[in-house]
Amino acid sequence: MKFLKRTNGAVFFVDILGFGALTQNQVNLDNKDFSIWLDKYHQNYDNQVLAASILAEFREILNKIDRKYKNVVISQLSDCAFVWSENIKEVIIVANNIMSECINNGIFCRGGLSYGEILETYQNHKLGRFIVGNAVTEAVKLEGIAKGCRIMISQEFPHNLFEQDKEFSNRIFPLFQPFINPLDYLTYDEFKWYFAPFMTENINEIINCDKKSKIKLTRQRLKLANKLRLDPKFSWNAKSSQGLVHLRASINFIAESKDSVLKIQHEFGWEDVCEARSYESIKKVEKMINQEIR
């Protein structure tokens, strides 16, 4: 009986930002921070219970996406998850949707994407699937590079996609762009998932899609940035210095007004979080986004 399956494929590693600080009680929270997450469960206000609630929501998102994409394996390990498949296109789509759904539901993540050798066990999967290999190591390494909810990629990743699926690669290639890390001023490569959130398999060609499609994508992008600014579920993230840095960075690049991808102009170039968070404020700004993005 074989012990390992050896293959080449794409690996996405995603991690919930700030979770370690939360579980180690390094974040001081007030009742408002807890209530938005815990009141529906009728639970006591406690960092560990909040962490469990976030993990439950994260698992629901992963299960929802897992049911939709049968050729992709998703394995959750506490506050992180691995996604892998020989089909690079589907891993890209799943990675995009995990990031989109997480922000839309109040969870703050960061990811890394790589392609290469994967070793997967044939053992009983009752305790969950696990993998090792160069692609796995690289994806984990890439996840930790930048601030905010970016997905960093290996330098060869766009070429790997092109070799496997030229048609899909040609449709989304503007989403792969270099990124200069302000921490060390080195250039890395990024999958700018937020310019086409909630991606589907039939996504239009990014560079030549019609203006209506570009406006729709821009509205979706700005609504995600607005969630980071105003959704009460992110208030606990803003209570630590590192969490605040990650939030500010994410709002900056997701709400980017100098749009080099779709070239749609807008006036919502936000740069910071808001202390007064509420769902009423979210709806108000979303209405403005729908009206003013023409």
Side-chain angles (χ1 to χ4, degrees):
M1 178 180 175
K2 288 185 178 181
F3 171 61
L4 290 173
K5 174 186 177 183
R6 188 187 298 264
T7 185
N8 285 328
V11 177
F12 175 57
F13 175 70
V14 59
D15 184 46
I16 299 176
L17 288 165
F19 199 80
L22 176 64
T23 57
Q24 294 167 36
N25 297 315
Q26 295 173 359
V27 187
N28 295 319
L29 305 178
D30 58 34
N31 287 345
K32 285 185 179 180
D33 303 324
F34 289 115
S35 64
I36 194 67
W37 280 98
L38 300 181
D39 283 0
K40 65 180 178 181
Y41 298 117
H42 306 290
Q43 294 289 331
N44 294 331
Y45 292 172
D46 177 81
N47 281 30
Q48 306 305 319
V49 180
L50 173 57
S53 176
I54 293 168
L55 286 183
E57 185 72 39
F58 185 51
R59 193 168 189 83
E60 280 192 27
I61 292 168
L62 297 179
N63 279 328
K64 173 185 174 181
I65 294 172
D66 184 57
R67 289 191 294 269
K68 190 173 180 180
Y69 295 95
K70 301 298 184 182
N71 296 322
V72 173
V73 181
I74 301 177
S75 181
Q76 180 185 1
L77 295 88
S78 184
D79 62 321
C80 63
F82 283 99
V83 176
W84 69 94
S85 174
E86 294 179 47
N87 188 312
I88 307 176
K89 177 180 76 172
E90 290 205 1
V91 172
I92 289 171
I93 294 170
V94 168
N96 179 296
N97 278 267
I98 288 175
M99 299 297 285
S100 304
E101 291 284 354
C102 279
I103 290 182
N104 204 44
N105 289 278
I107 298 177
F108 197 29
C109 295
R110 180 174 62 181
L113 256 178
S114 184
Y115 179 85
E117 185 181 61
I118 301 171
L119 281 77
E120 181 180 359
T121 71
Y122 277 107
Q123 288 178 298
N124 188 308
H125 295 137
K126 184 179 179 181
L127 296 179
R129 306 281 284 273
F130 70 91
I131 51 172
V132 294
N134 293 335
V136 180
T137 304
E138 183 73 7
V140 173
K141 179 181 175 182
L142 288 164
E143 183 273 329
I145 288 175
K147 297 296 183 185
C149 53
R150 296 185 187 270
I151 296 179
M152 307 308 291
I153 60 174
S154 54
Q155 189 175 17
E156 304 81 12
F157 191 82
H159 175 73
N160 297 136
L161 173 63
F162 182 79
E163 288 294 304
Q164 186 178 103
D165 194 328
K166 293 180 176 60
E167 192 270 336
F168 184 72
S169 174
N170 288 334
R171 277 192 274 151
I172 71 162
F173 79 87
L175 300 179
F176 300 120
Q177 295 197 13
F179 161 73
I180 299 175
N181 191 341
L183 298 178
D184 56 19
Y185 289 93
L186 292 176
T187 300
Y188 298 92
D189 293 288
E190 179 187 4
F191 169 44
K192 293 197 170 189
W193 65 271
Y194 42 90
F195 275 97
F198 305 101
M199 183 183 287
T200 63
E201 292 190 39
N202 61 352
I203 182 174
N204 293 325
E205 187 178 356
I206 294 291
I207 201 167
N208 290 320
C209 66
D210 59 78
K211 194 168 184 178
K212 183 178 180 181
S213 298
K214 291 181 179 181
I215 289 172
K216 179 182 177 182
L217 291 174
T218 303
R219 284 175 175 160
Q220 289 177 323
R221 171 167 68 92
L222 291 173
K223 287 175 183 178
L224 289 180
N226 189 50
K227 282 285 185 79
L228 292 172
R229 291 175 66 239
L230 296 174
D231 192 330
K233 281 191 170 183
F234 293 109
S235 63
W236 75 267
N237 296 95
K239 290 296 178 69
S240 70
S241 57
Q242 276 299 305
L244 199 54
V245 169
H246 283 299
L247 279 172
R248 284 171 174 160
S250 300
I251 292 166
N252 266 261
F253 61 73
I254 296 181
E256 180 184 344
S257 56
K258 295 180 180 178
D259 177 357
S260 60
V261 178
L262 300 174
K263 297 182 171 54
I264 297 294
Q265 295 184 349
H266 65 83
E267 302 297 327
F268 299 93
W270 301 303
E271 296 180 350
D272 209 344
V273 298
C274 296
E275 290 187 10
R277 293 171 173 270
S278 70
Y279 291 118
E280 291 75 16
S281 297
I282 291 173
K283 290 178 181 178
K284 182 178 179 180
V285 177
E286 285 186 349
K287 185 177 180 181
M288 292 169 61
I289 291 170
N290 288 334
Q291 290 175 344
E292 295 186 24
I293 301 291
R294 299 292 184 224

